[in-house]
Amino acid sequence: MLITIDPTSEASLFDQIAASVRMNMATGLARPGARLPSARDVAASLDVNLHTVLRAYQILRDEGLVDMRRGRGAVVTDAAAHLHELHSELKALVAKAQVMGLGPDALASLVRDVAAED
Amino acid sequence: MNTHDAVVRRFLVVAVAIPVVVVAVSVALQLTWWGELPDQVATHWNAAGEPDAFGSASTMLISTVVLGLLMPAATVAVTLPSLRRGVRGIIFRFLGAFSAWMAVFGAVLSLLLTEQQRGIADGAHAPNPGVAILAALGAGLIVGLCAWLYQPHQEGAAPHTFTATDTVLSGEQRGAWVSTAAMSKNFKLVLLANALALAAVAVLVWVTSGMATGLIIVGAMVLLIVVTSAMVAFTVRIDARGVSVVSAVGFPRLHVPLSEIESVGTTTVNSLADFGGFGIRMVPGGTGVVLRNGEALQVVRTTGRRFVVTMDNAETAAALLNTYVQRAAHA
């Protein structure tokens, strides 16, 4: 699993870590049943506060993407498989938009607008 | 005839044909002496050369087959699939010769031990086995040497190695790679077979030679299980500090700091040809954490030594590590 953050970004570090883990689920690097690295290890590797990582893991737990069990750590749930299924469709969508001259930011705002319609 | 055929064909001759033929001849000869043997033949001797364990003549026949064919069969099972796929290396030539030597040693030893007991009334009067053991060792050595010379030279193909040029981080980004490198199912089966074989030997020795020797082998078995269970799974961690590989049980831990890394890439590993087996392997020119065949991360240290870890998605892991190596070089 590859977790990346950008300290110069405006987004909070815990949101970035959560987004990065989510991306690993989408690409298939983190499959259902896989254990997330310990928050302590991630904090040491990325040189961030332990609570930042724990908060990121809590976000993922609230989304149902990981299961937190005492003694077993954070485990990727079956819900992550749906993200992986979505990934290929998202890639196709991004590619199609690119052909039409629509960048990822414009596409993302379109997606938000469509979601707001319902 | 091209060399590819010769390597496999001659390996089969020394590792399969020779063991089968010598064991068959040994068994056939022992069968012709059946009527001349005592009811209870000596099957084991103490250090002074006096017989101390006895069995029926069939015990000797069974041990001829087991001693002569078990090791060659195990060797062929492990090596032949790789050889057939076209993997080459000096280890295969050695294992072929080793099979021939094991089979000849086992077949000749039991043949001579049986021959010495023809015509005696009681196995308790069996002569000292020293000469038979030396003769069997000598015969095994000669045949093993011939088997080595008979096989063509094998040069391992250069592995498909790529040096990472990709970088995955931009600007101020930081990244951490964490993954599990686990042993393949085949390797686990080999480990299990090893443990079971050793357990069987322990029971056999316990029954035939007493508790003290049995306990030594049980001790060896426990040690083997402890050592190998530490090799089943490792956590691979890559970050700004370098790469670390830690066993799932916490030990052993290997670490290559960023400052000691010259370049990073991926390679393809054949455990036998490249590292002579699996687990943590030290070979001339490098160290490998070898848990399966195939894709691996390869780090070249500033000393020129390689550090190789078999793992999935090695390309992405290599790209991250390369990013940090490049950053350090330009800092």
Side-chain angles (χ1 to χ4, degrees):
Chain A
M1 176 161 0
L2 177 65
I3 303 177
T4 59
I5 54 166
D6 187 349
T8 61
S9 160
E10 280 171 23
S12 62
L13 287 174
F14 53 82
D15 273 335
Q16 290 187 46
I17 292 171
S20 194
V21 173
R22 230 179 270 124
M23 189 60 189
N24 280 279
M25 294 170 177
T27 56
L29 274 177
R31 293 176 192 279
R35 207 178 306 186
L36 294 190
S38 82
R40 193 183 306 273
D41 284 346
V42 175
S45 284
L46 294 175
D47 198 13
V48 297
N49 194 290
L50 170 66
H51 295 285
T52 308
V53 183
L54 284 173
R55 189 150 173 202
Y57 281 14
Q58 272 155 17
I59 293 172
L60 296 166
R61 186 194 57 192
D62 293 345
E63 290 170 349
L65 292 171
V66 303
D67 221 1
M68 305 260 247
R69 286 182 215 149
R70 202 177 292 268
R72 271 213 72 194
V75 179
V76 179
T77 64
D78 291 338
H82 302 316
L83 271 187
H84 189 38
E85 283 164 28
L86 216 55
H87 186 242
S88 50
E89 288 174 40
L90 281 172
K91 267 179 111 169
L93 187 66
V94 169
K96 201 169 176 183
Q98 214 150 30
V99 172
M100 297 169 176
L102 208 60
D105 286 338
L107 182 65
S109 82
L110 257 181
V111 170
R112 266 193 296 274
D113 290 346
V114 170
E117 274 177 17
D118 301 322
Chain B
M1 184 185 70
N2 63 39
T3 49
H4 176 86
D5 294 334
V7 167
V8 178
R9 203 172 47 79
R10 295 195 171 194
F11 176 84
L12 287 174
V13 169
V14 301
V16 179
I18 289 181
V20 167
V21 169
V22 295
V23 167
V25 169
S26 177
V27 167
L29 279 172
Q30 290 179 59
L31 282 175
T32 64
W33 302 331
W34 198 265
E36 306 168 44
L37 297 173
D39 287 343
Q40 291 287 299
V41 298
T43 56
H44 190 268
W45 284 258
N46 64 19
E50 297 152 355
D52 62 0
F54 305 89
S56 74
S58 59
T59 315
M60 209 58 135
L61 282 184
I62 292 167
S63 62
T64 307
V65 175
V66 172
L67 256 178
L69 293 183
L70 190 67
M71 280 298 289
T75 307
V76 169
V78 170
T79 53
L80 195 57
S82 292
L83 270 178
R84 281 245 163 92
R85 272 205 314 275
V87 181
R88 294 292 176 264
I90 203 153
I91 184 88
F92 296 110
R93 189 178 173 192
F94 171 79
L95 287 173
F98 178 72
S99 295
W101 127 249
M102 275 299 295
V104 169
F105 171 71
V108 172
L109 181 64
S110 54
L111 182 77
L112 294 179
L113 292 177
T114 305
E115 203 278 332
Q116 287 183 340
Q117 300 185 55
R118 287 168 72 190
I120 60 173
D122 188 344
H125 304 307
N128 190 306
V131 177
I133 293 174
L134 282 181
L137 276 173
L141 212 59
I142 290 168
V143 174
L145 212 62
C146 291
W148 169 267
L149 295 173
Y150 172 68
Q151 296 178 90
H153 173 67
Q154 292 190 36
E155 193 91 54
H160 302 286
T161 301
F162 302 97
T163 303
T165 48
D166 285 7
T167 51
V168 287
L169 305 177
S170 55
E172 297 287 303
Q173 269 194 318
R174 295 178 206 158
W177 172 274
V178 184
S179 68
T180 304
M183 191 170 276
S184 73
K185 198 175 275 175
N186 283 354
F187 283 7
K188 282 187 199 158
L189 284 177
V190 172
L191 279 187
L192 191 69
N194 258 334
L196 288 178
L198 208 50
V201 170
V203 170
L204 201 72
V205 170
W206 198 305
V207 171
T208 58
S209 303
M211 198 174 73
T213 333
L215 275 180
I216 292 176
I217 299 196
V218 169
M221 189 172 78
V222 170
L223 190 69
L224 181 84
I225 289 170
V226 168
V227 169
T228 52
S229 63
M231 303 280 179
V232 172
F234 288 81
T235 300
V236 181
R237 195 169 295 130
I238 293 168
D239 56 33
R241 298 167 295 185
V243 54
S244 78
V245 180
V246 180
S247 162
V249 297
F251 184 87
R253 332 167 64 96
L254 297 102
H255 178 65
V256 184
L258 200 65
S259 59
E260 290 176 19
I261 298 176
E262 181 72 35
S263 70
V264 186
T266 59
T267 188
T268 316
V269 167
N270 180 275
S271 60
L272 260 183
D274 301 334
F275 290 95
F278 55 88
I280 295 180
R281 316 290 303 189
M282 313 266 190
V283 292
T287 302
V289 181
V290 182
L291 306 173
R292 56 159 173 70
N293 294 325
E295 191 182 7
L297 171 75
Q298 173 166 287
V299 172
V300 179
R301 288 168 168 262
T302 46
T303 57
R305 288 180 62 82
R306 295 180 307 140
F307 178 68
V308 175
V309 188
T310 59
M311 59 186 284
D312 296 335
N313 306 303
E315 211 172 309
T316 312
L320 175 65
L321 190 53
N322 182 53
T323 308
Y324 280 121
V325 171
Q326 296 303 325
R327 273 190 190 171
H330 294 127

